[in-house]
Amino acid sequence: DVFSLGSGSRSSKTFKPKKNIPEGSHQYELLKHAEATLGSGNLRQAVMLPEGEDLNEWIAVNTVDFFNQINMLYGTITEFCTETSCPVMSAGPRYEYHWADGTNIKKPIKCSAPKYIDYLMTWVQDQLDDETLFPSKIGVPFPKNFMSVAKTILKRLFRVYAHIYHQHFDSVMRLQEEAHLNTSFKHFIFFVQEFNLIDRRELAPLQELIEKLGSKDR
C-alpha cells in the first residue's frame, strides 16, 4: 500500500518520492532565490522571472517545486481520499475528471480520485525525471516542446488542488493545514497567471477562490 509509506510524523508523509533538485546546480540556486523571495510575502513579485534568467529554467524549477508541495499536501489527506469516499475524481458536483495520458491510457477512463491522483502524480514524476524534457545539467537545452509539456503538467496538478478544496477542505481544516494549502495554491495561481500557463476554462472549478486570493493582493 503506497500510502502508508511515511509512518513518521504526519507532515513528512509524502505520497510519492520527492523530486530533488541537485545541490550546487544552477537550478538549485534558482530554487533558493524563489524561496527567499517567497519569504518576503509578496507573491506577485516572487513569481516574476528573475533578471537575466532563462524562462524555461524558471518554469522547470517552479514546476518541480509545485509537484513537491502538492505531493506533501495530498499526502496529509490520503487517508480521507479513498475508493469509498471519492469513487470519482471530482472538483465539486459540476466537474469530473477522467484519466488519459495519451500513451499507456489513450481513451479517458473514469476512476476513483485516489487512483486518478496516483496516475497523475506518477505521470508527472516520469516527466520530471526525463532528462530530455527536464535537463538538470547546465547547458543542456530544453526541448522545443518544453512549454507545452510544462503547461500540461501544471494543468493536471491544478486538479489535485481543486479536488482537495472541493472534497477534503474539512479534513484540511481539522489538520490545521488550511494556511499552508492557501499559501501554496496562491503561489501556484500567481505563477500560472504570470506566464499564462493554464487556460481560464481549466481554472473554473476554483474561480471564486482565485478571484478572492487575487483581490486581497492588489
Side-chain angles (χ1 to χ4, degrees):
D1 174 18
V2 187
F3 300 133
S4 54
L5 282 175
S7 51
S9 74
R10 182 176 48 74
S11 59
S12 70
K13 188 165 95 181
T14 2
F15 155 68
K16 294 240 169 281
K18 196 167 187 274
K19 164 91 176 151
N20 285 317
I21 290 177
E23 267 188 65
S25 69
H26 182 60
Q27 294 188 3
Y28 188 77
E29 296 306 312
L30 270 182
L31 183 66
K32 288 282 156 260
H33 170 86
E35 283 167 1
T37 51
L38 278 176
S40 74
N42 183 339
L43 283 171
R44 288 251 182 246
Q45 215 171 340
V47 297
M48 290 174 182
L49 180 66
E51 210 171 317
E53 291 300 343
D54 176 55
L55 179 63
N56 286 345
E57 198 153 30
W58 182 239
I59 287 176
V61 167
N62 281 279
T63 301
V64 170
D65 194 35
F66 289 128
F67 169 74
N68 288 334
Q69 286 182 40
I70 293 168
N71 209 347
M72 215 168 74
L73 288 162
Y74 183 69
T76 62
I77 57 124
T78 48
E79 60 202 283
F80 312 112
C81 185
T82 63
E83 301 284 327
T84 330
S85 71
C86 303
V88 295
M89 172 63 178
S90 63
R94 288 172 45 222
Y95 300 95
E96 188 178 303
Y97 300 112
H98 297 174
W99 179 254
D101 58 15
T103 41
N104 302 323
I105 298 171
K106 290 190 165 59
K107 226 179 106 192
I109 55 168
K110 194 169 176 161
C111 55
S112 69
K115 190 96 190 106
Y116 185 100
I117 292 171
D118 189 23
Y119 278 133
L120 187 155
M121 298 302 261
T122 304
W123 177 83
V124 171
Q125 203 173 3
D126 289 345
Q127 312 302 305
L128 299 180
D129 287 339
D130 183 341
E131 280 287 325
T132 63
L133 284 176
F134 280 79
S136 59
K137 295 181 185 63
I138 299 275
V140 175
F142 283 84
K144 297 232 184 320
N145 65 334
F146 174 75
M147 211 43 126
S148 69
V149 173
K151 284 178 174 176
T152 306
I153 291 173
L154 293 164
K155 172 181 84 176
R156 289 179 172 169
L157 288 174
F158 169 82
R159 295 171 181 179
V160 185
Y161 281 120
H163 180 71
I164 295 173
Y165 271 111
H166 277 282
Q167 313 303 131
H168 300 292
F169 197 65
D170 52 340
S171 302
V172 170
M173 303 266 286
R174 276 203 306 279
L175 296 166
Q176 297 179 319
E177 296 265 346
E178 70 266 38
H180 184 148
L181 174 64
N182 288 340
T183 304
S184 172
F185 180 63
K186 187 174 181 179
H187 180 200
F188 178 89
I189 285 301
F190 284 9
F191 188 81
V192 300
Q193 286 174 337
E194 173 74 14
F195 303 104
N196 208 359
L197 299 167
I198 302 182
D199 198 335
R200 275 183 70 89
R201 281 192 318 256
E202 285 285 337
L203 300 173
L206 294 177
Q207 198 47 52
E208 282 171 41
L209 176 64
I210 292 170
E211 280 163 19
K212 208 165 87 185
L213 292 173
S215 65
K216 281 207 196 96
D217 215 70
R218 294 243 152 70

